[in-house]
Structure formats: structure tokens, C-alpha cells
Amino acid sequence: KAGVTQTPRYLIKTRGQQVTLSCSPISGHRSVSWYQQTPGQGLQFLFEYFSETQRNKGNFPGRFSGRQFSNSRSEMNVSTLELGDSALYLCASKGGTGNEQYFGPGTRLTVT
Amino acid sequence: AQKVTQAQTEISVVEKEDVTLDCVYETRDTTYYLFWYKQPPSGELVFLIRRNSFDEQNEISGRYSWNFQKSTSSFNFTITASQVVDSAVYFCALSETLTTGNTPLVFGKGTRLSVIA
């Protein structure tokens, strides 16, 4: 099976712009979670989607949003970008009876 | 509240040495899962192992072994005969099991392992 894919891999944006990141889960996985990784805060949970519904949400401002499509692909959007949004954004999918999450390669976002 | 502590920020060892990465967790739940992930320089988090709170058996997989002790709330990871390819950041993570489902992963800060040839 193909693993989790994320596009784009690298992105450079300017403060105030918005950005959309995409994630395709492992085939058959219906749960998709997003995490932000920064040197200062480490790995922090953003949100989880299951069958097109947001199931959990982390402690991030409303500028961070997401959605999931009927084919389980997910997108996250960050509006009005701030310098502090520069991070590696990781997507993970989960399926079956196991609780382990499988991560994609991440999208490295740089805000200038 | 859930919390995962990896007290070792960085470890350097010489190739073929054994190394243990420590992980201590806090949870009020009696049912939970513990995980270890490896993050090589490429950035992708690679799943290594999952352990549920009812299974305290130690596990060995090749050069990797895990020691889960509920009495000390620890889930330590040992690499035997380390190799340069083991160089990476290793994360321990916790997820609680609630009636509504499993909580998101809570990660430790990670331990950067450098294996020197």
C-alpha cells in the first residue's frame, strides 16, 4: 500500500497570506490527523477528521481550519499567516483495529 | 491531563554501543496506548511500536527492545549494537482510550540520538 502523501513538500509564504495544505491517507484509512512541529513547541495536535467530520480539535486559533472529503483526503488551511506559523505540518492516517498513526513526509511552511 | 517526558534531549554514542532512551508518562486513565516513533533527517515520523496499558510484556524486534513498567509509568526503548542509520530523533507518545474514542497523540519533546562511526 502507498503511504501517506502530502503536498506540497515545501512552501514559502508572506505574512498575511493564506495557505492550503493537502494530505492523502493510506488507502482504506478514514481518520486523518494534523500536527504542527516547531523547535520550540515540539509536536502539537491540530485536528482530527473521521468520515468528513471533525472529531477532535487542538488548542489553535480559528485561523487554522481543515476539512475532509468523501475519499478521506484532507486539507488544512491557515489564514492570515504569521511568522510563528512557520513549521513542519505533518499529516497522519489511522485505520483498522490498531490505534497507531502513520505519518506523511510533512509540508515545511516558511512564513516571511 | 496527559504528559510525556523524555528527559534526555541529546545522546551521542559510538557505533555498536547499546543505548536506552527514557520515556515517562502521566495519565489518569487506566486504558491507554504508548508509542515510539523515529524521525530521521527527512522529517517523516516512522512508527516503531504500540503498546496498550494492559500488556506489560517487554518486546524485542531485532536490535530494538522496549521495557514497559506501569509501576514507574515508564516505557523505555533500547537499541542494541547501535548503527549510524539509527541516528534520528525518537519520540515517545501517549493516547488515552475514552468511551468516545482515542485521544490524539501527546508527544514528548524527543531525544536526538547521534551514532558516531
Side-chain angles (χ1 to χ4, degrees):
Chain A
K1 277 186 180 179
V4 178
T5 58
Q6 292 186 245
T7 56
R9 293 292 311 279
Y10 302 91
L11 209 46
I12 300 175
K13 289 287 188 178
T14 304
R15 262 184 310 177
Q17 288 185 315
Q18 74 165 16
V19 66
T20 299
L21 312 182
S22 181
C23 171
S24 292
I26 292 171
S27 177
H29 285 190
R30 295 164 64 189
S31 167
V32 173
S33 296
W34 290 87
Y35 293 82
Q36 181 197 64
Q37 185 178 24
T38 59
Q41 299 300 316
L43 281 153
Q44 293 186 289
F45 170 73
L46 281 157
F47 24 67
E48 177 192 7
Y49 287 88
F50 181 82
S51 294
E52 303 178 65
T53 302
Q54 189 179 85
R55 190 154 70 173
N56 279 302
K57 189 178 191 307
N59 188 24
F60 278 81
R63 299 185 297 106
F64 291 81
S65 62
R67 59 177 175 169
Q68 186 180 34
F69 302 95
S70 58
N71 61 358
S72 293
R73 189 176 70 85
S74 177
E75 289 181 347
M76 67 163 281
N77 183 278
V78 188
S79 62
T80 319
L81 284 166
E82 301 177 358
L83 293 178
D85 298 332
S86 295
L88 179 66
Y89 290 88
L90 292 160
C91 166
S93 76
K94 182 171 65 175
T97 56
N99 191 32
E100 59 271 20
Q101 296 185 26
Y102 295 92
F103 285 79
T107 294
R108 185 164 295 283
L109 171 65
T110 301
V111 182
T112 62
Chain B
Q2 309 167 65
K3 186 178 179 182
V4 176
T5 302
Q6 295 180 255
Q8 305 149 307
T9 307
E10 292 191 38
I11 301 177
S12 277
V13 298
V14 176
E15 205 171 22
K16 297 184 184 176
E17 284 185 352
D18 298 347
V19 58
T20 296
L21 309 182
D22 298 332
C23 172
V24 174
Y25 62 92
E26 293 176 31
T27 175
R28 295 178 188 169
D29 214 355
T30 57
T31 308
Y32 51 89
Y33 287 92
L34 294 163
F35 305 83
W36 275 95
Y37 284 87
K38 173 182 180 180
Q39 188 175 41
S42 60
E44 181 173 347
L45 280 169
V46 178
F47 167 75
L48 295 177
I49 190 171
R50 176 197 70 188
R51 174 66 73 225
N52 76 53
S53 53
F54 296 109
D55 183 1
E56 284 194 76
Q57 282 190 347
N58 292 332
E59 180 151 340
I60 298 174
S61 176
R63 296 183 297 105
Y64 295 172
S65 63
W66 290 269
N67 182 3
F68 176 30
Q69 291 195 337
K70 287 178 74 171
S71 60
T72 56
S73 297
S74 64
F75 186 40
N76 297 336
F77 173 31
T78 297
I79 302 175
T80 302
S82 59
Q83 300 176 1
V84 173
V85 293
D86 295 327
S87 297
V89 181
Y90 291 85
F91 291 94
C92 180
L94 166 71
S95 173
E96 293 174 339
T97 300
L98 308 176
T99 53
T100 52
N102 296 306
T103 61
L105 293 173
V106 171
F107 286 90
K109 293 293 187 185
T111 297
R112 181 178 299 278
L113 174 65
S114 298
V115 181
I116 304 163

